[in-house]
C-alpha cells in the first residue's frame, strides 16, 4: 500500500503533465481544421483517464493507511542488500551502454564491461590472494571470448552494424 | 476448406528444403534455450532475433521468429520443473505440479509430459488457427474506425484485467501508460510532433523493439541480479520418453486445454500465461483427482503446458487478421511482419491468403522440432541451467545493446532500451504487469487514428460509436470487464453464475 501511495502520486503527476502538454498542443483554429482532428484530443483523453486511475489508487491507498511512511522502513529498504546489488548492476550496465559504447571500439568496450561484471559479481570475498588472481584471470578470459565471439558473429554472420 | 488444405500443403512443401529445415532446427533450439533460462523471455528472444534477421527474406525471417516463439514457450517448462522458476512467465502454472514431480524424483517423467503437452497444445492451436483465421479475417472486413477504436479499448481493458487479476487498476494504468507512450512522435493528420520536447530523435516515436528489449531484457537482468540465487533440483532424470497410454489417458484435458489456451491467445494482450492458468483451473475443476493438483499432478502439468503452447497460435490469429497482438511476444511478431513488408489485417485473406497457411506450416514444423529436441536433448539441455547468472546476464545485456542499436543504427535507441528497462524494473517490483504496456504501445496509433477518423465521419456525434452492432458488442464487453473488477458487481455476477472458480489467475499473467 505504501508503494501504491507513492506510485499513485507519480501516476497523477504524469497524467497532469500529459494533460497540460496536450492542452497546449495547437488547435489550428486559424486554418479552420476540423476540431476533432486536433493533435491533442487523444493524448488529452488518455491523460485524463490516467489522472482518474491515479486518483482512485491514491484514495484507495490512503483509506488503507498507505500514506503512513515510516523513516526506518524506508531507510532499511534503501540500504538493503537488494538495493546494493541493484546499484552495482545499474552502474555496470549504464556505464557500458551510456559511457563505453560509442567512445571505445565496440569489442574493447565489451571486454571491459564483461570483465568488470564477472569480476564484481564473482569476486571471492573470503579467499586468499591466489583464488582472487584465478578469479580475475577467469573473468579476463570470459570477457575476451564473449567480446570476440559477439563481434565476429554479429558482423560476419548477421551482417549487423555495431555501435 | 479444400483451398486452405491446398495452401497449407504448398506452404509446407515450400519449407521442406535444407536451408528452411536448418533454420527450423537452430531457431527452435535457440528458442528452447532462451525459454529455459530464467531472465530470458520469449518476447526478448523474438525481439532480439527480429533485429538480427531483418536482412533476410521475409519467409525465412518469420519462420525463424515463429520457431523461436514456439520453442521459448515450451523451453520455459524445463526451468519450471527443475528450478521451480518459470523460464518464461508462461510457465508459472507449470511449476505447481512440475516441481513437486521433480522433487519426488520424477523429473524425467515431468519433462516428458510437458513435452507431449506442449506439442499437442501447439498442434491444436495450429488447427484452430487454420480454421478460425480465415473466418475472423472475413468478419473483420466489416470493421471500420468505430470497431477498431473499441477493439483497442477492449484490448487494454481485458489485458489490464487478466494480467493483473489481483489489482486490475495496475493493469489499466500500465495499459494507458503504453497508449500515452505511443503518442510520442509525429502524428498522422497534421504532422504535429507530440511529446517530443524539442528532441528530433523522438519525432519518429519510441521504437517498439528497443522498448520491448528494455522492458523484457534489461528489466529482467536487473530483477535476476537483485534476486537471490536459484538452485537446480537434485532429481533423477530417468526416462524422458512419455508413455502414450499415460498421455492419452488425459485426452479430454488435452483437448480442453488446447481450446482454452487458443481462446486466451486470441484475446488481445493476454497470451500464453493466461492460457496456462485458465487451462489449469478448468482441468482442476473437471478432474476426478482434484486433490492431487499442486502436489505433482500429471493432469495439472499437462493442462498448463498444453494451454500455454496452444496460446501461441492463438495469439497469432489476431495478429494476422486484425493486426492486433494476442500477447507480448506476438506484438514483436507483428512488428517484425511490418518490417518485412507483410501487411497483416482484415485484408490478409484477400491479398495474401497463402501467407496465413505458411504461418500454419511454420507452427507445425516448430511443434515437431520441440517434440524431437524435447525428447532427445534432455541431458545436454540441462547443462544450460548450470551456467552461472553472473556470466549469462552481462552477455544478455551486450545482446540487448546490440539489438536495440542494430534496428536503425541509432545510439538513441539504446537509451530508449535503458529507459524502458528501468521503468520495467520499477513496474515489476511494484506488481504492474508489462503486457498491457506493450499492447498500449502497439494499439496507440490504431486508437488515435480510429477515434479521430470516427469523430470526423460523424461530426462529433458519438451515437455511431455506440450503436453499430459490432461496436456495441465490444463496448458492452469492455463495460462488463470493468464492472466485474468492482467488488459488489463481481460478487453479484458470481452469485448469478453460481460461484465461478477464480483461483486460476490469482497470480495473474504477464506476457511471455
Amino acid at each position: 500500500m505504501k508503494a501504491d501511495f507513492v506510485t499513485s502520486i507519480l501516476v497523477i503527476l504524469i497524467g497532469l503533465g500529459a494533460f497540460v502538454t496536450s492542452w497546449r498542443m495547437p488547435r489550428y483554429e486559424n486554418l479552420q481544421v476540423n476540431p476533432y482532428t486536433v493533435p491533442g484530443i487523444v493524448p488529452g483523453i488518455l491523460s485524463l483517464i490516467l489522472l482518474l486511475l491515479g486518483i482512485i489508487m491514491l484514495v484507495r491507498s490512503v483509506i488503507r493507511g498507505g500514506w503512513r511512511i515510516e523513516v526506518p522502513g524506508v531507510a532499511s529498504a534503501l540500504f538493503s542488500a537488494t538495493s546494493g546489488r541493484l546499484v552495482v548492476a545499474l552502474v555496470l550496465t549504464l556505464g557500458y551502454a551510456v559511457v563505453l559504447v560509442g567512445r571505445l571500439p565496440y569489442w574493447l568496450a565489451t571486454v571491459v564491461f564483461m570483465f568488470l561484471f564477472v569480476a564484481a559479481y564473482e569476486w571471492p570475498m573470503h579467499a586468499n590472494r591466489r583464488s582472487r588472481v584465478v578469479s580475475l584471470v577467469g573473468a579476463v578470459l570470459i570477457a575476451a571470448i564473449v567480446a570476440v565471439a559477439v563481434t565476429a558473429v554479429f558482423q560476419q554472420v548477421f551482417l549487423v552494424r555495431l555501435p | 476448406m479444400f483451398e486452405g488444405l491446398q495452401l497449407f500443403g504448398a506452404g509446407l512443401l515450400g519449407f521442406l528444403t535444407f536451408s528452411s529445415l536448418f533454420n527450423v532446427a537452430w531457431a527452435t533450439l535457440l528458442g528452447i534455450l532462451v525459454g529455459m533460462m530464467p531472465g530470458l523471455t520469449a518476447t526478448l528472444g523474438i525481439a532480439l532475433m527480429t533485429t538480427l534477421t531483418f536482412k533476410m527474406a521475409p519467409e525465412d525471417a518469420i519462420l525463424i521468429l515463429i520457431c523461436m516463439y514456439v520453442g521459448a514457450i515450451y523451453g520455459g517448462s524445463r526451468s519450471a520443473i527443475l528450478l521451480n522458476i518459470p523460464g518464461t512467465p508462461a510457465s508459472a502454472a507449470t511449476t505447481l505440479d512440475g516441481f513437486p514431480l521433480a522433487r519426488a524424483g520424477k523429473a524425467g517423467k515431468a519433462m516428458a509430459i510437458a513435452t507431449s503437452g506442449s506439442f499437442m497444445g501447439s498442434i491444436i492451436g495450429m488447427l484452430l488457427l487454420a480454421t478460425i483465421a480465415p473466418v475472423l479475417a472475413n468478419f473483420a472486413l466489416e470493421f471500420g474506425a468505430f470497431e477498431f477504436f473499441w477493439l483497442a479499448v477492449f484490448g487494454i481493458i481485458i489485458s489490464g484485467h487478466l494480467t493483473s487479476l489481483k489489482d486490475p487498476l495496475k493493469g489499466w494504468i500500465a495499459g494507458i501508460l503504453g497508449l500515452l507512450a505511443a503518442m510520442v512522435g509525429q502524428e498522422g493528420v497534421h504532422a504535429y510532433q507530440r511529446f517530443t520536447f524539442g528532441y528530433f530523435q523522438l519525432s519518429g516515436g519510441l521504437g517498439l523493439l528497443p522498448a520491448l528489449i528494455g522492458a523484457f531484457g534489461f528489466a529482467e537482468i536487473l530483477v535476476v541480479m537483485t534476486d537471490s540465487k536459484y538452485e537446480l533440483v537434485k532429481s533423477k532424470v530417468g526416462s524422458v520418453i512419455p508413455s502414450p497410454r499415460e498421455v492419452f489417458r488425459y485426452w479430454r484435458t488435452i483437448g480442453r486445454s488446447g481450446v482454452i489456451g487458443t481462446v486466451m491467445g486470441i484475446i488481445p494482450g493476454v497470451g500464453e500465461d493466461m492460457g496456462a492458468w485458465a487451462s489449469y483451473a478448468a482441468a482442476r475443476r473437471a478432474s476426478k483427482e482434484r486433490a492431487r493438483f499442486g502436489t505433482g499432478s500429471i493432469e495439472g502439468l499437462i493442462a498448463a503446458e498444453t494451454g500455454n503452447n496452444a496460446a501461441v497460435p492463438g495469439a497469432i490469429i489476431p495478429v494476422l487478421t486484425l493486426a492486433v497482438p494476442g500477447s507480448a511476444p506476438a506484438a514483436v511478431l507483428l512488428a517484425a511482419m511490418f518490417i518485412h513488408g507483410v501487411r497483416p489485417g482484415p485484408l490478409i485473406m484477400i491479398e495474401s491468403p497463402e501467407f496465413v497457411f505458411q504461418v500454419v506450416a511454420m507452427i507445425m514444423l516448430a511443434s515437431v522440432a520441440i517434440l524431437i529436441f524435447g525428447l532427445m536433448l534432455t541431458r545436454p539441455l540441462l547443462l544450460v541451467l548450470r551456467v552461472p547468472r553472473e556470466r549469462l546476464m552481462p552477455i544478455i545485456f551486450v545482446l540487448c545493446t546490440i539489438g536495440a542499436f542494430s534496428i536503425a543504427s541509432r545510439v538513441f535507441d539504446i537509451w530508449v532500451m535503458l529507459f524502458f528497462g528501468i521503468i520495467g524494473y520499477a513496474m515489476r517490483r511494484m506488481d504492474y504487469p508489462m503486457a498491457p504496456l506493450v499492447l498500449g504501445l502497439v494499439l496507440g496509433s490504431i486508437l488515435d487514428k480510429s477515434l479521430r477518423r470516427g469523430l470526423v465521419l460523424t461530426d462529433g456525434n458519438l451515437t455511431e460509436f455506440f450503436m453499430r452492432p459490432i461496436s456495441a458488442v465490444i463496448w458492452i464487453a469492455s463495460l462488463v470487464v470493468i464492472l466485474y473488477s468492482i467488488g459488489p458487481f463481481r460478487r453479484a455476477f458470481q452469485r448469478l453464475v453460481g460461484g465461478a472458480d477464480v483461483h486460476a489467475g490469482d497470480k495473474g499473467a504477464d506476457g511471455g
Side-chain angles (χ1 to χ4, degrees):
Chain A
M1 275 309 119
K2 288 176 177 48
D4 283 358
F5 177 73
V6 177
T7 48
S8 67
I9 293 173
L10 207 61
V11 167
I12 289 172
L13 288 177
I14 295 172
L16 269 177
F19 181 73
V20 171
T21 315
S22 309
W23 186 261
R24 286 182 181 165
M25 285 178 191
R27 286 166 216 165
Y28 302 112
E29 282 133 336
N30 52 336
L31 299 173
Q32 293 182 325
V33 302
N34 189 319
Y36 299 114
T37 65
V38 297
I41 190 163
V42 177
I45 295 171
L46 290 174
S47 46
L48 279 180
I49 297 171
L50 190 66
L51 194 61
L52 178 72
L53 295 177
I55 291 170
I56 295 173
M57 185 177 259
L58 179 72
V59 170
R60 197 183 66 180
S61 67
V62 167
I63 290 170
R64 294 179 191 172
W67 56 277
R68 283 192 217 102
I69 292 174
E70 291 129 15
V71 176
V74 175
S76 70
L78 278 179
F79 299 104
S80 65
T82 305
S83 303
R85 282 198 294 267
L86 175 66
V87 169
V88 174
L90 275 176
V91 167
L92 289 167
T93 49
L94 296 182
Y96 171 67
V98 179
V99 182
L100 296 182
V101 168
R103 286 189 175 81
L104 291 181
Y106 181 75
W107 66 269
L108 184 59
T110 305
V111 167
V112 173
F113 167 67
M114 283 296 302
F115 168 73
L116 289 177
F117 201 104
V118 176
Y121 278 100
E122 290 193 352
W123 182 249
M125 296 292 268
H126 310 288
N128 56 26
R129 205 173 145 186
R130 193 182 137 80
S131 351
R132 285 179 175 170
V133 171
V134 169
S135 165
L136 286 180
V137 171
V140 170
L141 277 176
I142 293 167
I145 292 168
V146 170
V148 170
V150 166
T151 310
V153 168
F154 280 71
Q155 262 180 347
Q156 307 304 322
V157 180
F158 290 110
L159 309 173
V160 166
R161 264 192 65 193
L162 295 175
Chain B
M1 172 76 184
F2 192 68
E3 193 195 345
L5 272 176
Q6 263 183 334
L7 289 170
F8 170 69
L12 193 61
L13 273 178
F15 290 122
L16 293 182
T17 62
F18 176 76
S19 68
S20 294
L21 292 177
F22 178 68
N23 281 339
V24 169
W26 72 260
T28 311
L29 190 57
L30 194 61
I32 295 173
L33 295 176
V34 163
M36 277 175 75
M37 288 186 262
L40 291 184
T41 59
T43 312
L44 176 68
I46 303 170
L48 286 177
M49 199 43 78
T50 302
T51 66
L52 296 178
T53 52
F54 72 99
K55 285 187 182 161
M56 289 185 170
E59 298 81 41
D60 291 338
I62 305 293
L63 174 68
I64 288 170
L65 298 181
I66 285 181
C67 289
M68 166 71 85
Y69 190 0
V70 175
I73 296 298
Y74 160 67
S77 66
R78 290 289 154 110
S79 39
I81 291 166
L82 295 165
L83 300 173
N84 200 23
I85 295 173
T88 65
S91 309
T94 308
T95 56
L96 296 186
D97 288 298
F99 186 67
L101 277 168
R103 242 188 350 206
K106 296 175 184 165
K109 187 176 180 179
M111 285 190 275
I113 293 293
T115 307
S116 322
S118 297
F119 172 72
M120 307 284 258
S122 299
I123 295 296
I124 294 171
M126 180 200 79
L127 293 173
L128 290 172
L129 164 65
T131 42
I132 293 174
V135 181
L136 190 59
N138 204 22
F139 178 64
L141 288 171
E142 307 282 321
F143 280 35
F146 311 101
E147 287 78 11
F148 271 110
F149 165 75
W150 283 116
L151 189 66
V153 172
F154 176 72
I156 296 299
I157 291 173
I158 190 83
S159 170
H161 179 82
L162 288 180
T163 58
S164 181
L165 279 170
K166 268 197 277 183
D167 192 358
L169 195 59
K170 290 184 173 176
W172 296 333
I173 288 176
I176 300 287
L177 282 174
L179 288 173
L180 266 176
M183 297 295 122
V184 175
Q186 190 168 297
E187 49 89 37
V189 182
H190 301 290
Y192 177 74
Q193 299 196 354
R194 294 190 289 212
F195 301 114
T196 54
F197 307 107
Y199 288 96
F200 74 92
Q201 293 101 327
L202 283 173
S203 56
L206 295 164
L208 180 66
L209 287 173
L212 288 178
I213 292 171
F216 287 88
F218 183 35
E220 203 63 46
I221 291 169
L222 294 177
V223 170
V224 171
M225 292 317 295
T226 49
D227 278 348
S228 49
K229 287 190 179 184
Y230 46 76
E231 278 182 28
L232 204 62
V233 70
K234 289 184 177 65
S235 169
K236 193 175 69 188
V237 170
S239 166
V240 292
I241 304 297
S243 134
R245 229 171 81 190
E246 194 155 44
V247 173
F248 286 103
R249 199 178 135 203
Y250 297 112
W251 65 271
R252 274 177 211 272
T253 308
I254 292 172
R256 188 194 317 110
S257 307
V259 174
I260 293 175
T262 311
V263 171
M264 283 293 156
I266 295 174
I267 299 174
V270 175
E272 299 79 22
D273 329 36
M274 272 316 287
W277 283 115
S279 304
Y280 187 83
R284 200 183 55 171
R285 250 198 320 266
S287 176
K288 289 175 192 155
E289 307 162 354
R290 199 177 299 186
R292 293 190 64 185
F293 275 63
T295 59
S297 157
I298 298 284
E299 194 177 1
L301 176 61
I302 213 163
E305 275 305 303
T306 308
N308 66 15
N309 264 80
V312 173
I316 296 176
I317 294 174
V319 165
L320 291 173
T321 56
L322 297 165
V324 168
S327 66
V332 193
L333 197 62
L334 176 65
M337 285 181 186
F338 280 122
I339 289 173
H340 286 285
V342 179
R343 290 202 319 150
L347 289 174
I348 197 154
M349 286 309 290
I350 295 167
E351 288 179 348
S352 44
E354 69 287 346
F355 180 72
V356 173
F357 290 94
Q358 275 179 343
V359 169
V360 174
M362 291 172 190
I363 294 170
M364 181 164 190
L365 290 170
S367 310
V368 173
I370 58 167
L371 186 67
I372 294 171
F373 287 133
L375 299 182
M376 281 175 55
L377 296 179
T378 304
R379 286 179 187 85
L381 286 175
L382 288 183
L383 294 176
V384 177
L385 294 178
R386 296 184 203 278
V387 177
R389 61 183 188 172
E390 291 78 10
R391 295 179 191 181
L392 188 63
M393 289 302 128
I395 299 176
I396 303 306
F397 186 70
V398 168
L399 298 182
C400 288
T401 311
I402 301 180
F405 174 82
S406 64
I407 305 156
S409 298
R410 285 199 314 175
V411 172
F412 181 74
D413 285 331
I414 297 179
W415 299 350
V416 173
M417 181 272 288
L418 296 173
F419 175 77
F420 273 89
I422 292 169
I423 297 282
Y425 175 78
M427 286 177 68
R428 215 159 292 201
R429 287 289 182 220
M430 307 273 186
D431 286 333
Y432 284 81
M434 297 303 292
L437 181 90
V438 172
L439 192 69
L441 273 170
V442 177
L443 294 182
S445 69
I446 297 177
L447 182 106
D448 183 31
K449 271 187 277 182
S450 307
L451 178 61
R452 289 199 283 171
R453 199 175 289 162
L455 285 172
V456 170
L457 285 172
T458 60
D459 201 22
N461 182 359
L462 294 177
T463 323
E464 283 285 301
F465 277 90
F466 290 95
M467 299 309 285
R468 285 166 68 102
I470 300 171
S471 295
V473 170
I474 309 177
W475 77 255
I476 290 171
S478 309
L479 187 67
V480 168
V481 175
I482 294 175
L483 291 178
Y484 189 79
S485 66
I486 301 169
F489 287 102
R490 181 172 57 246
R491 283 188 287 276
F493 180 77
Q494 282 172 348
R495 269 197 302 275
L496 208 69
V497 296
D501 182 358
V502 291
H503 176 85
D506 277 356
K507 298 190 180 185
D510 193 8

